[in-house]
Each structure stands twice: as C-alpha cells, then as structure tokens.
Amino acid sequence: MEYGRIIRRALDTTWRHKVLWVFGIAAALFGGGRGGGGGGGLQYVFSGRDVEQWRQKVPWIPGRPFEPWPWPQTPLPDWQAVVPVVLAVVAILLVVAFLVFIASIIIRYTSLGALAGMVDEVERTEHTSFKSGLTKGWSRLLRLFAIDLIIGIVVFVIVMALIVLATIAILLASAPAILLFQAGTGAGVAGILWAVAVGLGLVLVFILVGLALAALTTLIREFAFRACVIDGKGIFGALGAGIALTRSRSREAVLMWLLLLAINLAVGLVAIPLALLGVGGILGPALLTFTTTRSVLAAIGVALPFVLIIALLSAAIGGIYLTFRSAVWTLTYRELRADQTLAVAS
C-alpha cells in the first residue's frame, strides 16, 4: 500500500471538495469532549471576612456559628414556593440536556457517515454534493451509533478487566518490596530498587497495552463504519467486516494508524503556540480594559468577541483536519478491501 499517495490524495480531496468541510466541522463540534480533566481545578479558601460579607448581603445568615436564627426580624424564604421553582428549572435543564444529547448523536453520526460516503463517491465519480452526503449519512446514522456503542461497551469491559489484572499484578509485585523493607536497612535499598524496577515495568506494559487497544479499537471502528456506509452492511456484518479486514491486513492498517498518530502529534505541536497566541489575544485586551476601567464586566465584554472568533476558528480547523483523517481512512479501506477481494478471487 502506497501510504504517501493515500495521504496526498486525502489532502487533495479535502482541499478540492470543500463541501466536505461542512460535515467535518459539524462532526468536530458535536463529537463530545473526549479526554477530560484531572483533579486540578479552581480552588478558593473561605475566610471569616467572606462570612461577614455574606451576612451583610443575606440578612437571614447568622453572624456566628451558634448564634440563633433571627426568626422574628428576617424570616427565611418561603421554601414551599421556592422548591417547586427549583425543581422546574432542574427539569427544564434536564430536558434541554437530553435534547442536546440526542441532537449531538444525530449530527455527529450523520456527518461521519456523510464524510465516508462522499469521499467514496469522489473516488468513483470525481464529484460529490451536500445532498448526497446528507442522504448517505442520514440513512446510516443509527447503524453507526450502534456500532460505536457496541465497541464502547466491549472496550469498557476490557478496560475494567485490565484494571483488575493490574491491581492484582501491583499487589503481587509489591509483596517482595514490602518483605525487603521489613528485613532491614540493607535490604530496604534492594526493596526500593525492586519497587522502582517493577513500577517502571508495569508503566511500560500499561502504555503498550493502551496503545495496542487504541489501535485495535480505531481500526475496527473506522473499517466497520465504512463497511456500513460504503458496502451497505448491517451492524454486525459491518463489525465482522471491520474485524476481518483488520486481522487480514493488520500490517498495513497498523502502519497507517502509526502514520496518522505521528501526524496528530505534529499537528498538536504546531497547535500549542497557536493556542498560546490565542490565549494572549484574549487576555491582552481584557487585562488592558480592566486596568483602564477597573470593571470586570467591561473586560469580559471586550474578551467575548475574541473568544467567539477563536472558538469558531478552532472548530473550523478541527473540522477540516477531521475531514482529512476521515478521507485517509476511507481511501485506506477502499484499497485494503480491493486487495482483499483480489486475494480471495485469486
């Protein structure tokens, strides 16, 4: 398989058929915030001055921890009237969140299906259209969602099993270190070395297993999506085709995954300084406005247009890049499937 030719063809298709960008940007916007944060976050330490300020602004908060509530002077709010309002607001927010979730599923999988079908159409006819992509994506969105859901459930079960196995391995590996620590000073050094060596070994194993699982999941998912959209297979038929193609052409598929991984890392390195420039473009005018006016609202008002512009640019760039990646996987699937068909025929 000519990897360079596939990359160049994907770039050319992405650039010449800009209608693909519509679905790429839509898929990027509604793809969900994968990856997540750790334990860091905003922290605030409360002081006695905060309580005093709150007590002045909200009269029914007592000034001291054991001071009786001033019922006669400042009665508590009518909770019988407040609780229904709060419950109504919560219910509305839940309904809105549910509707947004459903809309994100529809838009995401319609867009992913459209991208795969449109690139295949370009390869067959040298042109495509928004209507054609929408038709292809809409007709396959439920199947694509089901494929992704099944893969997600299987991966979740595998990850849970790996966590259990890792916990057992850590406990077994830590037992010799504990015994060496208890043996004495000289043996304690050996225990430290053993713990460090085992810890580094387990970290390396976890990284390798994680990469292998990520590669396998990505390959099966991308090939199953295209078997569903391009070849019109059902849910389990597409999954079976994705697994079979990954198994029979594992070398070429893994090499393409590694190539895209390297491209992702390169794009990420380029995006870091651009992101820093974007943050500077937001904070600079905001801080200048705040130092001039001493108004937080004015600073937010100045920063908000920059935030919107950067968000739109980020979504556009991310969507175009997603379009390119989807085109790479579609072209890869077409070539590997054709080679597989020829091998079976011969």
Side-chain angles (χ1 to χ4, degrees), residues 39-63:
L42 294 176
Q43 294 183 352
Y44 186 81
V45 178
F46 292 97
S47 63
R49 189 168 178 270
D50 297 315
V51 177
E52 179 62 25
Q53 291 177 352
W54 289 3
R55 190 180 67 82
Q56 293 174 1
K57 295 177 181 179
V58 187
W60 46 271
I61 293 181

Side-chain angles (χ1 to χ4, degrees), residues 33-41:
R34 297 183 179 182

Side-chain angles (χ1 to χ4, degrees), residues 208-256:
L208 293 177
V209 171
L211 287 174
L213 183 60
L216 184 63
T217 302
T218 300
L219 294 175
I220 293 175
R221 177 180 182 271
E222 298 296 343
F223 291 158
F225 273 18
R226 280 144 188 85
C228 177
V229 175
I230 297 174
D231 297 332
K233 294 184 180 294
I235 298 170
F236 295 102
L239 283 170
I243 294 171
L245 190 59
T246 301
R247 183 174 60 246
S248 62
R249 305 303 300 270
S250 58
R251 177 178 173 275
E252 294 91 341
V254 170
L255 286 176
M256 180 57 76

